[in-house]
Amino acid sequence: MNKISPHALLLVGLIGFGALTTGALAQISITIAPPILPIYAQPPIPGNGYLWTPGYWSWDPDNNDYYWVPGTWVVAPYEGALWTPGYWAFEGNNYAWRGGYWGAHIGYYGGINYGYGYSGNGYQGGYWNGGAFRYNREANNIGRSAIPNMYSARLENHGDERRSSFNGGNGGTRAQPSKGDLIINNMPHNRATNEQANHENAAHSSDEQRHSVNHGQPHVAATSELGNFKTGNIEPSHAAPPEAAHPAGTMHAGDMRPKGQHMTRPNQQPQNRNPQDQHMNQANRPAAAPNQPAHQQAQQPHPAPQQARPTPPQSRPEQQAHPVPQQSRPAPQSPRANEPHSEEHR
């Protein structure tokens, strides 16, 4: 990567999101655009109480180079804590870093599609309820962990399709903060934890994480433990997405299907926007036919063949005088069609 002049590197000032961590240089401006987000799989969650923090490109002023800080699982620092990721923004012909933070609400992060619930606006990976965090199976790789509070809700894409890692400028996202985002931005926030700072420093110390070495495909793109880049705990980046990773044919950083998890399809019913009701599944939805069990509707979305099939043509004279027996009878009904719902099929 080419060197840049000292005047191109401007330290704008610390704003309290931590020192040399995700809020590292709380705000730093450079003239080189950050690379696109790499494609990687999310490692399994280590246990209950962990929250996913997506990976990002950070800047090393000593080497005039970007380096990848892997996405990782972090224990929530306090009850009700949610992580708003940092992001790069194109401002005044420079790219400025806006550090991430912990708070009671998810704030604005530039419309960057980090994946795994961070689709560009808000967070769809879960929410706090009664002192415990409820995990959305569609956004989190639960693996074999014993997680008591889970639900399933389809993920909606609010972000960029190009895996952009910055907002504004040529090739960046076009999102703008809403009034609610501005309110959240002025609320009290907590900077990244010391463990997160050590995690970034570990990435900074690894030559393999630098963009000039990995060319946008870091060997450690995600890890299950903060600062642990050892084999068995890491997920590498991928040059191209697996064919079945995204049903719509597009791929964002972190959009790969969590291992062992189900990926919802675009033709499924949209999720209920009320988080308390997001666990509703097909069995809970009202039947299209009042007397038909829900499990039979999925198998027979159209009327029974006997009802839709026209009467065969009458080719012989004797059939003109004698009506076809099937015409005088009602079409046979599906087995148990008029029986009430039973608990085993709900």
Side-chain angles (χ1 to χ4, degrees):
M1 181 175 290
N2 296 329
K3 298 285 185 177
I4 60 176
S5 67
H7 298 289
L9 185 61
L10 304 175
L11 297 181
V12 181
L14 297 176
I15 55 177
F17 290 151
L20 236 54
T21 177
T22 66
L25 295 167
Q27 198 175 39
I28 183 173
S29 252
I30 59 175
T31 58
I32 303 174
I36 64 173
L37 298 172
I39 299 167
Y40 62 88
Q42 184 189 65
I45 186 173
N48 194 28
Y50 283 79
L51 299 183
W52 179 250
T53 59
Y56 57 94
W57 289 105
S58 188
W59 177 256
D60 179 5
D62 296 329
N63 294 300
N64 291 333
D65 199 0
Y66 284 99
Y67 62 97
W68 178 254
V69 181
T72 189
W73 292 99
V74 179
V75 176
Y78 54 88
E79 183 180 315
L82 295 171
W83 176 250
T84 297
Y87 68 98
W88 291 93
F90 184 76
E91 299 174 350
N93 297 322
N94 291 292
Y95 297 91
W97 172 248
R98 303 286 184 250
Y101 56 85
W102 293 97
H105 305 277
I106 299 293
Y108 176 73
Y109 52 95
I112 310 300
N113 188 352
Y114 285 112
Y116 297 113
Y118 294 97
S119 63
N121 181 23
Y123 179 56
Q124 303 175 57
Y127 61 94
W128 288 91
N129 182 31
F133 192 80
R134 294 198 66 196
Y135 295 88
N136 184 358
R137 293 184 184 91
E138 304 299 332
N140 300 286
N141 184 359
I142 302 301
R144 298 183 179 180
S145 298
I147 305 297
N149 302 307
M150 293 189 294
Y151 66 98
S152 292
R154 178 182 174 183
L155 302 181
E156 296 181 356
N157 179 27
H158 301 291
D160 191 270
E161 299 284 343
R162 298 164 296 177
R163 293 159 42 207
S164 299
S165 60
F166 60 93
N167 175 271
N170 185 16
T173 65
R174 300 300 176 186
Q176 296 294 328
S178 65
K179 292 182 179 179
D181 292 328
L182 296 177
I183 294 175
I184 294 172
N185 186 58
N186 292 323
M187 289 181 175
H189 300 146
N190 293 336
R191 67 179 186 179
T193 65
N194 291 333
E195 290 78 11
Q196 287 176 283
N198 294 334
H199 180 73
E200 179 170 310
N201 289 334
H204 177 268
S205 301
S206 174
D207 289 340
E208 293 183 346
Q209 297 303 107
R210 290 195 286 120
H211 183 265
S212 60
V213 175
N214 59 51
H215 305 292
Q217 297 179 28
H219 176 64
V220 183
T223 178
S224 59
E225 298 178 15
L226 279 162
N228 189 345
F229 296 177
K230 297 180 180 179
T231 302
N233 297 297
I234 66 173
E235 290 289 345
S237 60
H238 300 267
E243 183 178 354
H246 196 287
T250 58
M251 173 61 68
H252 312 288
D255 269 350
M256 295 180 62
R257 182 188 308 174
K259 295 178 180 178
Q261 301 294 311
H262 169 70
M263 177 67 74
T264 52
R265 302 279 177 176
N267 59 355
Q268 286 183 314
Q269 295 291 335
Q271 71 174 23
N272 192 310
R273 294 186 180 274
N274 184 351
Q276 302 293 342
D277 298 328
Q278 286 179 334
H279 63 280
M280 288 185 66
N281 53 31
Q282 185 66 31
N284 300 120
R285 298 191 181 105
N291 297 321
Q292 190 176 17
H295 75 285
Q296 292 183 1
Q297 293 177 34
Q299 297 173 357
Q300 298 181 0
H302 304 289
Q306 292 84 350
Q307 295 174 344
R309 185 181 303 162
T311 304
Q314 299 176 356
S315 58
R316 292 185 297 176
E318 58 269 25
Q319 290 180 340
Q320 300 293 335
H322 302 282
V324 180
Q326 288 82 351
Q327 292 178 337
S328 61
R329 300 177 185 175
Q333 298 181 351
S334 301
R336 302 167 59 97
N338 294 319
E339 293 185 14
H341 292 277
S342 61
E343 292 296 329
E344 65 184 38
H345 295 306
R346 288 185 178 176

